[in-house]
Amino acid sequence: MNTDEVISFAKRRGFFWQTAEIYGGLSGIYDYGHIGTLLKRNFENIWLSFFVNINENYYLIDCSNILPERSLISSGHTAHFNDMIVSCSKCHAHFRADQLISDKKIEVSEGADSSTIDEIIKKYKIVCTVCKSPLSMAKPFNLMFDLYLGPEKSDKAYLRPETAQDVYLNFAREFNILRKKLPAGLAIIGKAYRNEISPRQGLYRLRELIQAELQIFFNPDSWDVDYKNVADRPLTILFYNSDETECIPVKNLIEEHAIPSFYAYHLAIIDIFYKEVLKIPDDKFRFHEKGGDEKAFYNRIHMDIEVDIESLGGFREVGGVHYRGDYDLTSHAKGSMQDLSVSVGDKKIIPHVLELSFGVDRTLWMLLDLFYKKEEERTILKIPGYLSPYNAAILPLQNDLNGESEKIFRRLNPLFRVFYDTGGSIGRRYARMDEIGTPFCITVDYETVDKQSSNYNTVTVRYRDDKKQIRIPTTDIADFIRKNIVFNPSIFMPYTLPSDE
RNA sequence: GCGGAUGUAGUGUAGUCUGGUUAUCACUCAGGCUUGCCAAGCCUGAAACUCGGGUUCAAAUCCCGACGUCCGCACCA
C-alpha cells in the first residue's frame, strides 16, 4: 500500500477525507466519515478501558481546546513554539534566528522581537550559511494557532498544542476531589492543534489532530511498581545513538539499563496493547529512545512508540512514553503563583509525571495500512473484531427472506452495531463487509424459516477471515456477538482483575 | 515556505503535447430480471473536466492566479 491507495480506500468506504473538500480542502485538516467515526470510537473506547479503567485512581476528563496565553507562557510553549525565522533572500533556506545568532556566540534573550533580531543580524553581518547571501527580515513562526477573545479581541489565547497542558491545569482540583491519592491518572482524548509548515502523508502530519493521553502523577520516591508479571516480557527497543534494535526483557531493562521500574512497566503495558490488543505483528513494533536534540528538554526519559507502516515508508512514530519529571507542575505553580505541591506524610512534594501519549489519527491510518489485505478474489480489512465499525451484518440469502432477516436486524440493532443489506448477490454483500472489516455475517436462509427443517430458527454465521460457516439458533445471536466482539481488557492485563466470566 | 510535477464521475483512468462531434473505459452505486452461500450474468439508469480570470469563432486542452495533492529541500519545542 502507498499513501494514495490508503486515501482512496478511506474515501471510497467512508473512513476519512479532507475537510471542506467541495471547496478544495484544507491542508492537514481531515473529517471522519461514518465508518471512520465508528472505527475511531471503538479504538478510543478500547484505549480507555485498557489504559484508564484498569486503575481505580485513573480518570478521563474533557477540557477546553482554548487556553489562555499565560498558561502557555508558563509551560514554555510560547518560547519554544514561537521561533523567529529568517530566510535567505536568494536560496530561500530557512533558519531559526536564535540558532544563527548563538552560533556566532552572541547573546540574545529568548523573547527577542523581530526588530532586535534584525539589528543584531545587521550589526554582526550575519549571512546565509548556505550561499552567503543577505538574509530577509525576521518573522515570527508560530507553531501554535493564536486567538483573540472578546469584543475588542484583547485577550490572547491559543488552541492547545497538546492535550497534556489541560491535565496539568486541572491537576490540583482533581487531586483534591480524588482524595489526594498517588499515583493519580488523568486522561484526555481530544484535539490538539499545530500549524505545521508542511502537513503531508494523509493522517500522519495534521494541523488538527486527536491525541489520547494519560498523565500519571506519582511520588518519585515511592512508586513501587510490581512488575513481576511482565519481568520476562521481551521489549524491542532502538536505543539512542544505536543502529540496531535490541530485544530485552523488562527486568534487564530495569537492572542493566537503569530504566526505572515504573517506566519499564508501562512500556510492557504498551507493548501488550499494540501486540495483543491491536494485533500488530512483533516485527513491526518497537520503542525508539530519543536523546540529545531529538528529546524535548524537559523529558528525562523519552521513547517513541514506532510501528512499521508501509505506506509511510517504514517505522514511524505513533505515540510516546515521556517521563516529564516535575517540569509541568513546577512551571505552572510558578506561572500561576498557586501551590501545586501535595503532602506525602509530613513532606511536601511536586508529583512527577509519566505521560503515555498516543496519536489517534496516526493509529487509525496504521490500522488501515496494516490490516487491509488484498487476497486473490477479495479484499479484507483484517482488524480485530472489537475494532470493526460494524459488529456483524444481517443478510437474507434471497430477498424473499427479507421479512425474517429484518426482524432479526431490528432486534439486534439497539444492542450492537449491525448492518442490514439486501442489495446485490449474497457474495457481493459478503465482499462489502469484508472490505470494512465486519467480522461476522449472519445469513437467514430457507431453513431458518422452514418449520419442517431440523435447522428451523437457526442462522449461519460466516467468519470474515476464513469464510467458514457455523449454524447457531436465532435466539443465540446476541450472545454470540457479545462473546466474540466485546472487548475485555482483563484477559490481556498483567494486573489481577476480577473477571467478567 | 521554496523548487519541480500534478489535478477528468464515488474510485481508478483515456483524452491535454498538436484547442474543434454527445468527454473514453473499468470497477462502484441505484432500479429491474435472474440467482438457494462468496464481488457471476443480462437490461436500464445515475455520475466528472478543482475554482476564478484571460486568449480564441471555439478551452478538459493554451496563459495567469488561487486552492489541493505528490516528490525534494527546509520545518517538525
Side-chain angles (χ1 to χ4, degrees):
Chain A
M1 291 264 268
N2 59 38
T3 50
D4 287 343
E5 286 169 327
V6 177
I7 288 169
S8 140
F9 169 60
K11 281 159 83 168
R12 196 158 42 81
R13 286 297 177 188
F15 287 91
F16 58 82
W17 42 81
Q18 276 191 294
T19 294
E21 62 174 358
I22 61 169
Y23 285 95
L26 204 47
S27 194
I29 315 262
Y30 279 79
D31 286 350
Y32 286 98
H34 70 288
I35 297 293
T37 302
L38 289 168
L39 176 63
K40 178 168 85 69
R41 293 193 72 161
N42 287 343
F43 169 75
E44 290 170 348
N45 287 335
I46 284 167
W47 182 86
L48 270 178
S49 57
F50 191 85
F51 286 104
V52 180
N53 296 352
I54 43 101
N55 185 304
E56 65 278 9
N57 205 35
Y58 291 0
Y59 292 92
L60 180 69
I61 58 174
D62 196 3
C63 308
S64 175
N65 293 2
I66 298 174
L67 293 176
E69 182 181 30
R70 284 182 58 199
S71 67
L72 292 161
I73 292 173
S74 303
S75 68
H77 282 86
T78 53
H80 291 99
F81 257 47
N82 283 350
D83 292 319
M84 285 292 168
I85 289 270
V86 291
S87 55
C88 173
S89 55
K90 199 168 170 190
C91 72
H92 301 292
H94 285 73
F95 306 97
R96 271 175 54 182
D98 59 336
Q99 279 181 357
L100 274 186
I101 291 171
S102 62
D103 285 351
K104 300 271 176 192
K105 312 269 187 265
I106 302 157
E107 280 195 22
V108 61
S109 65
E110 232 182 35
D113 61 14
S114 56
S115 58
T116 311
I117 285 170
D118 289 339
E119 270 174 41
I120 294 172
I121 286 174
K122 207 169 160 191
K123 188 171 163 194
Y124 292 94
K125 299 192 169 68
I126 299 173
V127 293
C128 172
T129 55
V130 180
C131 72
K132 312 287 178 210
S133 302
L135 293 167
S136 68
M137 305 243 278
K139 280 187 298 206
F141 168 63
N142 304 306
L143 212 54
M144 289 196 293
F145 291 102
D146 48 3
L147 295 169
Y148 298 86
L149 309 183
E152 304 286 333
K153 303 209 166 201
S154 48
D155 294 331
K156 189 167 187 185
Y158 293 95
L159 291 176
R160 61 184 177 193
E162 58 177 6
T163 58
Q165 293 307 320
D166 279 292
V167 168
Y168 309 138
L169 300 176
N170 280 286
F171 169 74
R173 178 172 295 282
E174 283 286 355
F175 184 70
N176 278 321
I177 304 169
L178 294 173
R179 295 166 56 193
K180 306 183 182 180
K181 285 184 293 237
L182 290 178
L186 292 174
I188 291 181
I189 299 175
K191 303 255 186 172
Y193 300 83
R194 298 175 186 185
N195 194 9
E196 298 285 354
I197 298 177
S198 165
R200 268 179 206 179
Q201 296 186 298
L203 301 184
Y204 188 74
R205 181 165 299 161
L206 296 174
R207 289 189 168 133
E208 182 185 62
L209 55 125
I210 304 167
Q211 295 185 309
E213 295 192 317
L214 172 62
Q215 314 289 328
I216 303 169
F217 299 88
F218 62 97
N219 178 355
D221 299 326
S222 66
W223 195 18
D224 296 323
V225 174
D226 174 6
Y227 62 90
K228 69 173 185 297
N229 289 333
V230 295
D232 296 321
R233 188 177 181 87
L235 301 179
T236 307
I237 301 177
L238 177 59
F239 286 102
Y240 177 58
N241 273 343
S242 168
D243 295 332
E244 275 178 45
T245 56
E246 290 174 50
C247 203
I248 179 165
V250 170
K251 65 170 184 291
N252 300 43
L253 196 59
I254 294 164
E255 289 161 12
E256 294 160 21
H257 288 260
I259 299 287
S261 66
F262 70 84
Y263 192 93
Y265 175 78
H266 284 86
L267 292 182
I269 297 287
I270 290 166
D271 195 65
I272 293 170
F273 182 70
Y274 278 89
K275 290 179 182 167
E276 288 165 37
V277 176
L278 300 183
K279 313 275 190 218
I280 307 301
D282 285 4
D283 62 340
K284 292 189 186 293
F285 180 88
R286 73 181 185 199
F287 294 102
H288 186 171
E289 185 190 33
K290 296 295 174 104
D293 289 345
E294 307 164 339
K295 184 174 72 129
F297 63 92
Y298 51 75
N299 276 336
R300 302 189 184 194
I301 309 175
H302 174 162
M303 292 208 195
D304 277 348
I305 301 163
E306 295 190 337
V307 174
D308 187 359
I309 302 172
E310 188 191 3
S311 58
L312 301 177
F315 277 94
R316 302 299 293 264
E317 175 194 357
V318 294
V321 190
H322 310 133
Y323 176 27
R324 300 172 67 129
D326 64 355
Y327 172 78
D328 300 286
L329 290 182
T330 300
S331 317
H332 284 302
K334 205 169 143 199
S336 64
M337 313 223 273
Q338 304 287 310
D339 182 7
L340 299 180
S341 64
V342 308
S343 298
V344 174
D346 53 3
K347 262 172 70 185
K348 285 209 144 199
I349 63 154
I350 298 280
H352 281 206
V353 169
L354 177 67
E355 171 183 75
L356 313 186
S357 174
F358 303 81
V360 173
D361 315 274
R362 289 176 174 189
T363 301
L364 299 183
W365 179 281
M366 167 196 89
L367 290 171
L368 297 192
D369 177 285
L370 235 48
F371 291 113
Y372 186 78
K373 310 274 188 198
K374 286 191 174 143
E375 299 191 348
E376 318 88 61
E377 287 298 312
R378 59 178 189 150
T379 49
I380 318 172
L381 187 64
K382 282 195 171 175
I383 48 176
Y386 38 70
L387 281 171
S388 296
Y390 290 111
N391 302 137
I394 312 298
L395 311 170
L397 183 64
Q398 293 294 312
N399 285 354
D400 52 346
L401 293 161
N402 283 358
E404 181 62 17
S405 55
E406 202 174 325
K407 238 164 51 194
I408 293 173
F409 170 71
R410 300 235 172 272
R411 214 164 58 228
L412 296 171
N413 195 37
L415 304 175
F416 304 102
R417 290 297 316 177
V418 286
F419 186 71
Y420 185 60
D421 193 0
T422 61
S425 65
I426 189 72
R428 180 172 294 264
R429 292 177 220 156
Y430 288 150
R432 286 188 189 117
M433 289 299 103
D434 287 343
E435 200 174 13
I436 57 169
T438 309
F440 307 106
C441 289
I442 289 160
T443 305
V444 172
D445 61 18
Y446 290 98
E447 290 176 82
T448 309
V449 295
D450 178 6
K451 288 184 181 158
Q452 310 303 314
S453 167
S454 58
N455 283 329
Y456 177 56
N457 264 341
T458 64
V459 290
T460 58
V461 177
R462 176 241 190 212
Y463 289 78
R464 176 192 69 198
D465 293 347
D466 57 11
K467 302 185 187 175
K468 289 216 175 86
Q469 297 195 356
I470 58 168
R471 216 165 172 104
I472 63 169
T474 308
T475 47
D476 290 356
I477 300 173
D479 276 347
F480 176 87
I481 296 177
R482 197 171 288 120
K483 205 180 260 164
N484 285 286
I485 292 303
V486 170
F487 176 69
N488 176 4
S490 65
I491 63 175
F492 300 102
M493 292 306 293
Y495 290 108
T496 311
L497 283 174
S499 166
D500 309 344
E501 297 299 312

